[in-house]
Amino acid sequence: MNISTKILNRTLLLALGTLMCTFVEAQTPHTDTPQQGEGLGAFLLRNGYNVSKYKDKFIELNANRFGKDYGLLLGVKYVFPEKQNQIEEPLLGEANKMVTIEDDELYGATYYLISGHGGPDPGAIAKVGEKELHEDEYAYDVMLRLAKCLLSHNAKVHIIIQDPNDGIRDDAYLSNDDHETCVGAAIPLDQNERLQQRCDAVNNFYKTERTGYCRTVIIHLDSRTESTRIDVFAYYFTKSKMGQRLAQNVIDKLKTKYDYYQPGRGFLGEVKERQLYVLRETNPPAMFLELGNIQNDKDRLRFIKPSNRKAVAEWVAEGMIEDFKMSK
């Protein structure tokens, strides 16, 4: 064996050893021993595991290591299941489609997200110089950002209005198109047909998911006179206590955020009872959000700046988390 061959073999062995170490480190399971008097649920929680989600897998991994009724044994090292730490949602766009699951705060919650208008109907239109701002594009972008937030807390999310070409966009002036569908189906121009189509889509999913916490969220932008400045409004269907609670939690969270980041500004967003079609015809409790007046130059800053669209989505998500916690 010549010197060159020896060097090559040594290099390959070192590389292989590095790969093997990396593989072993990535596959090393998390383990721990229980404390005195610690039950199974407390043990899982102390190690950062959602009990209802991981209990069965934990028991399966540690068969024959329990006392009576799955009591933990002192001094025994238990193996914890691998956590799902990412989920893929292509509709969020190439740069955002892999969502890291940060925690299980919304595990067990299911959401149906509808952005207003779409397809042949752009919704409200505002003009800024040569630019046309279409309501459906901005509502869709905020809706996608909200979906990403909810997914990061391990919620199940159905995106009802979809545009596979857009994803989350960081442009101030979003390009306009009519590519949106309702879960893959063409959106009709007739308003009643359009609204019924999205209600049917939600209700079809809900048929198989109605045993848990399920909520519909509809996102729109308002259109009023240019001089009218408004804050976020949240609507719920008449006599829907769960819809009202969700709307109130979101508005309360937005008020808290505005009071913190813009002290002295005041926040005039409200919760109101409405008999809107999508609130009436979707079966899960629903909340309808109007994010501001697209015709008002100050309100438009809430939509034009991508950082503001992100903040609004995150704050709405925080209010939704508060509501889910109240349901437990």
Side-chain angles (χ1 to χ4, degrees), residues 88-121:
E88 182 176 6
E89 176 46 76
L91 287 169
L92 300 180
E94 189 62 30
N96 293 279
K97 67 180 182 180
M98 299 308 300
V99 182
T100 299
I101 299 176
E102 299 172 0
D103 54 54
D104 287 327
E105 283 194 301
L106 288 174
Y107 179 74
T110 300
Y111 296 101
Y112 313 95
L113 304 186
I114 304 173
S115 57
H117 306 282
D121 174 25

Side-chain angles (χ1 to χ4, degrees), residues 30-288:
H30 172 63
T31 61
D32 194 13
T33 54
Q35 299 174 357
Q36 181 72 41
E38 191 169 41
L40 177 55
F43 188 43
L44 286 166
L45 287 172
R46 180 167 63 81
N47 282 275
Y49 285 79
N50 180 286
V51 178
S52 61
K53 180 179 179 182
Y54 291 105
K55 180 180 177 181
D56 291 343
K57 185 64 177 176
F58 178 83
I59 291 173
E60 179 184 339
L61 282 174
N62 295 280
N64 303 319
R65 296 180 185 176
F66 298 100
K68 184 180 180 181
D69 297 327
Y70 299 108
L72 300 175
L73 303 176
L74 289 176
V76 173
K77 184 178 286 187
Y78 290 89
V79 179
F80 287 81
E82 184 179 352
K83 287 185 177 180
Q84 180 188 9
N85 59 9
Q86 279 195 323
I87 187 170
E88 182 176 6
E89 176 46 76
L91 287 169
L92 300 180
E94 189 62 30
N96 293 279
K97 67 180 182 180
M98 299 308 300
V99 182
T100 299
I101 299 176
E102 299 172 0
D103 54 54
D104 287 327
E105 283 194 301
L106 288 174
Y107 179 74
T110 300
Y111 296 101
Y112 313 95
L113 304 186
I114 304 173
S115 57
H117 306 282
D121 174 25
I125 298 175
K127 284 203 169 185
V128 181
E130 298 294 318
K131 304 288 186 181
E132 269 196 1
L133 279 64
H134 289 190
E135 175 187 359
D136 66 325
E137 302 294 343
Y138 288 89
Y140 184 69
D141 191 77
V142 174
M143 185 267 290
L144 289 183
R145 293 173 187 272
L146 175 60
K148 183 178 180 180
C149 290
L150 300 176
L151 288 169
S152 75
H153 296 292
N154 214 3
K156 184 175 183 179
V157 177
H158 293 288
I159 298 174
I160 303 301
I161 302 303
Q162 305 176 352
D163 187 336
N165 300 316
D166 285 345
I168 292 172
R169 292 176 282 176
D170 287 327
D171 305 308
Y173 297 101
L174 301 179
S175 58
N176 304 311
D177 61 43
D178 58 0
H179 300 152
E180 295 83 13
T181 68
C182 180
V183 198
I187 297 174
L189 180 60
D190 180 82
Q191 182 183 28
N192 287 334
E193 290 180 18
R194 184 173 67 247
L195 296 178
Q196 189 59 55
Q197 180 191 52
R198 54 196 66 192
C199 293
D200 289 343
V202 170
N203 294 338
N204 286 336
F205 283 123
Y206 183 58
K207 286 177 184 177
T208 60
E209 298 167 330
R210 60 190 309 153
T211 54
Y213 176 98
C214 302
R215 298 292 184 270
T216 301
V217 178
I218 306 108
I219 297 178
H220 278 252
L221 276 60
D222 210 341
S223 181
R224 305 189 185 191
T225 59
E226 291 183 12
S227 60
T228 303
R229 188 179 182 188
I230 61 174
D231 281 322
V232 179
F233 284 79
Y235 304 131
Y236 65 95
F237 183 60
T238 307
K239 298 181 181 179
S240 173
K241 296 297 183 185
M242 295 297 96
Q244 181 181 12
R245 191 187 73 185
L246 174 60
Q248 191 64 59
N249 276 316
V250 167
I251 292 300
D252 287 348
K253 180 60 66 175
L254 289 170
K255 183 180 186 306
T256 299
K257 294 294 185 179
Y258 271 100
D259 288 346
Y260 179 81
Y261 288 105
Q262 298 184 39
R265 171 193 184 276
F267 178 76
L268 301 177
E270 293 184 78
V271 174
K272 293 184 177 181
E273 180 181 304
R274 294 286 298 274
Q275 297 195 48
L276 299 172
Y277 193 98
V278 286
L279 292 176
R280 184 180 73 243
E281 297 298 325
T282 50
N283 294 330
M287 170 183 66
F288 187 112

